Amino acid sequence: MNPIVKVLLFMFSCVLTNNYIFSRFLGCCPFLGVSNKVETAFGMGIAVTFVMALASLFTYFVYYYVLIPLNLAYLNTIAFILVIASLVQVVEMFLKKSAPSLYSALGIYLPLITTNCAVLGVTILNISEGYNLLYSVLNGTFGALGFLVAIVLMAGVRERLESAKIAPPLKGFPISLVIAGLMSIAFLGFSNMFAGVM
Amino acid sequence: MAQFLPILSAIAALGGLGILFGLVLGLADKKFAVEVDERVSAVRAAVAGANCGACGYAGCDAYAEAVVRGDAKANACTPGGAKTVKAIAEIMGVNAEATEPMVARVRCQGTCERVTTRYDYKGVPSCRAASGISGGPNACEFGCVGFGECLSVCAFGAIQMVDGIAVINDDVCTGCGMCVDVCPRNIIQMLPKDQTVVVMCRNEATGKRAVQQCKTACVACKRCEKACPSNSIKVVKGVAIIDETTCTRCGACIPVCPMHCIVNFYERNMEDVAAATAQAALNDIEIP
């Protein structure tokens, strides 16, 4: 198959079929925590995309050029968390300087990207799937874009929920969880989309 | 030695990575440093820091920012008092207009012995809840209910419950006004600290009815009105009210009050007041 088509298919599969939230259930904390407003959800998604793309890049080098030569592959989790934590710090400083309103809107969830399991998940998956550098970075970037799509969709739904008539026991968080489940089922529809061609 | 090599290499590798990232972060910190106006943090350090909201802003941080922006006056922090005003003025380079120190005054003397009790309240110990049940357990619908709702919001511990009424310690009160808002009876008032002559009653009932409710209720006899040389005390809606802008604090109204409900704050002694009230009750004072 044409390698460009293959890369394109891989990108789409990262966003739709292997969506980190809806089919791998990683990164649910910020997904539910920051999806109140589309604007902040989008900001969170961009921040996560930035961190995930860079984390994939850096962890590739850390793994293959530091840990493997030193026979320290078993330390990958701790080393990756180190990389991610540093990246999040840089992103935090950057946002504080360039987008203070987004910085204050994201609040506590910004440092929490450190513990966003989708970020650690993508780096570890890159290793276990044996992706090369290009595929690792693509997996990180487009996996995070899948996260962005999911959180923005969720925020759009939740913004409409504000004015909807909902039974009191379901108001707020419960209905959000129900919606998250329904969206996950909807995304199941993509599950075998690229199975035949890849 | 050889068996320790993997451990040492692990320590070296992770330590090295850590140092490397640390250096990068250090550089990023320099590059992305946000210039926080140092006056904001200086003002923030100068204010009282109770987050009481007396200044009208969301908290001490918001107030500090407003001061530096020029939106807020330097003297809005009541709890901080003159010291804070001076400090903020120095930071901002403006002349301090010192505020007149304000204190909260509980305008009620209806202790347990003086006020008539109508029923025994056994519900939630809250002034608001108790006063909602047919006007409260006390016969006087205007006085202190005595469950200390004000006490619980006072961030400075200036309020004590004595004999069933709230008593505010002037020396500790910072004038933040939190208690004023929370009192369901509206008997706490912010007054200038030097306004020493205070009508300690809000009872709007007159004559005999007021006496039946409380032994130190204002009966609206208007004796104080006549005694006042500066015409600053008026009986409005059955209760004497002092206009603190014209009051000379001469105290002429204090001895003429048959119910002993006007007091001079710095000469007030609870025992004396109680004795005088008891005496007055025995003398069967005539009420116009």
Side-chain angles (χ1 to χ4, degrees):
Chain A
M1 196 194 291
N2 187 336
I4 296 176
V5 176
K6 212 174 163 195
V7 167
L8 278 175
L9 281 178
F10 180 76
M11 281 159 32
F12 275 101
S13 75
C14 286
V15 177
L16 296 175
T17 56
N18 291 328
N19 191 295
Y20 275 93
I21 286 170
F22 293 135
S23 52
R24 286 181 169 141
F25 309 112
L26 292 171
C28 289
C29 166
F31 173 66
L32 292 167
V34 203
S35 57
N36 286 322
K37 272 162 60 190
V38 171
E39 201 191 348
T40 47
F42 189 77
M44 183 71 182
I46 294 291
V48 169
T49 307
F50 184 75
V51 172
M52 259 163 101
L54 284 180
S56 303
L57 181 72
F58 283 116
T59 52
Y60 183 86
F61 289 116
V62 167
Y63 188 78
Y64 286 106
Y65 295 98
V66 179
L67 297 183
I68 291 284
L70 290 172
N71 254 337
L72 296 171
Y74 62 92
L75 282 178
N76 62 356
T77 310
I78 195 165
F80 291 176
I81 285 179
L82 193 62
V83 173
I84 294 162
S86 314
L87 280 171
V88 169
Q89 279 297 311
V90 173
V91 171
E92 199 178 335
M93 288 171 193
F94 178 75
L95 281 183
K96 202 173 177 182
K97 171 94 175 165
S98 59
S101 57
L102 182 61
Y103 175 78
S104 55
L106 289 176
I108 183 68
Y109 290 100
L110 191 58
L112 277 184
I113 300 178
T114 315
T115 51
N116 183 340
C117 46
V119 182
L120 184 65
V122 81
T123 57
I124 288 182
L125 271 172
N126 285 341
I127 304 301
S128 65
E129 299 276 328
Y131 291 147
N132 62 22
L133 181 59
L134 175 68
Y135 274 72
S136 294
V137 174
L138 285 179
N139 189 25
T141 315
F142 286 88
L145 284 180
F147 176 86
L148 175 74
V149 168
I151 197 170
V152 169
L153 284 178
M154 184 67 174
V157 174
R158 281 182 74 174
E159 272 190 358
R160 277 160 187 76
L161 280 184
E162 290 289 315
S163 54
K165 253 188 160 180
I166 302 163
L170 287 177
K171 231 172 204 158
F173 221 60
I175 195 75
S176 304
L177 289 172
V178 171
I179 286 160
L182 289 176
M183 286 169 88
S184 174
I185 293 171
F187 266 71
L188 263 183
F190 293 116
S191 61
N192 272 338
M193 205 164 126
F194 305 108
V197 284
M198 270 181 81
Chain B
M1 190 63 210
Q3 71 267 36
F4 293 121
L5 206 60
I7 299 173
L8 289 177
S9 68
I11 292 170
L14 282 182
L17 283 176
I19 289 169
L20 183 70
F21 293 141
L23 284 175
V24 172
L25 280 182
L27 287 176
D29 190 37
K30 284 257 154 59
K31 189 157 167 51
F32 294 127
V34 179
E35 283 169 28
V36 178
D37 196 331
E38 59 189 29
R39 289 180 302 175
V40 175
S41 40
V43 172
R44 178 67 184 79
V47 297
N51 278 320
C52 65
C55 53
Y57 289 88
C60 296
D61 287 315
Y63 174 63
E65 274 171 33
V67 166
V68 174
R69 271 203 314 273
D71 294 349
K73 281 195 171 171
N75 59 8
C77 183
T78 345
K83 214 174 102 206
T84 303
V85 180
K86 213 174 146 215
I88 295 179
E90 258 168 40
I91 298 160
M92 298 300 297
V94 289
N95 285 331
E97 330 164 15
T99 44
E100 204 176 353
M102 302 287 271
V103 285
R105 299 259 197 244
V106 180
R107 294 170 299 169
C108 180
Q109 304 190 97
T111 52
C112 303
E113 312 93 67
R114 291 177 199 159
V115 73
T116 316
T117 310
R118 283 192 301 187
Y119 62 86
D120 195 11
Y121 177 77
K122 290 228 162 80
V124 191
S126 140
C127 300
R128 207 162 282 274
S131 56
I133 297 172
S134 65
N138 294 337
C140 174
E141 286 174 27
F142 304 91
C144 182
V145 195
F147 289 104
E149 215 133 296
C150 46
L151 182 145
S152 60
V153 295
C154 182
F156 306 95
I159 308 180
Q160 271 183 307
M161 299 306 297
V162 179
D163 271 346
I165 54 167
V167 175
I168 298 180
N169 184 345
D170 287 357
D171 300 330
V172 185
C173 178
T174 59
C176 72
M178 292 292 281
C179 50
V180 176
D181 300 333
V182 83
C183 178
R185 290 286 167 86
N186 227 348
I187 52 168
I188 310 181
Q189 190 189 15
M190 301 306 298
L191 283 171
K193 203 166 187 175
D194 67 342
Q195 175 62 49
T196 48
V197 182
V198 182
V199 180
M200 295 294 281
C201 184
R202 303 288 302 150
N203 191 316
E204 290 175 12
T206 52
K208 202 163 185 183
R209 206 160 152 249
V211 184
Q212 280 164 357
Q213 291 177 350
C214 176
K215 286 178 194 142
T216 60
C218 172
V219 292
C221 64
K222 302 200 178 180
R223 283 182 200 179
C224 49
E225 253 189 51
K226 287 169 199 134
C228 181
S230 60
N231 276 336
S232 18
I233 187 159
K234 287 270 172 309
V235 174
V236 184
K237 270 205 213 161
V239 61
I241 290 170
I242 296 177
D243 179 359
E244 67 259 25
T245 52
T246 54
C247 173
T248 58
R249 289 82 160 140
C250 68
C253 48
I254 298 171
V256 300
C257 180
M259 304 302 289
H260 303 274
C261 58
I262 308 178
V263 297
N264 187 330
F265 242 82
Y266 290 115
E267 286 166 11
R268 187 165 75 131
N269 183 326
M270 289 301 276
E271 280 169 28
D272 291 352
V273 177
T277 318
Q279 191 59 43
L282 285 175
N283 289 352
D284 195 23
I285 36 159
E286 58 177 288
I287 292 138

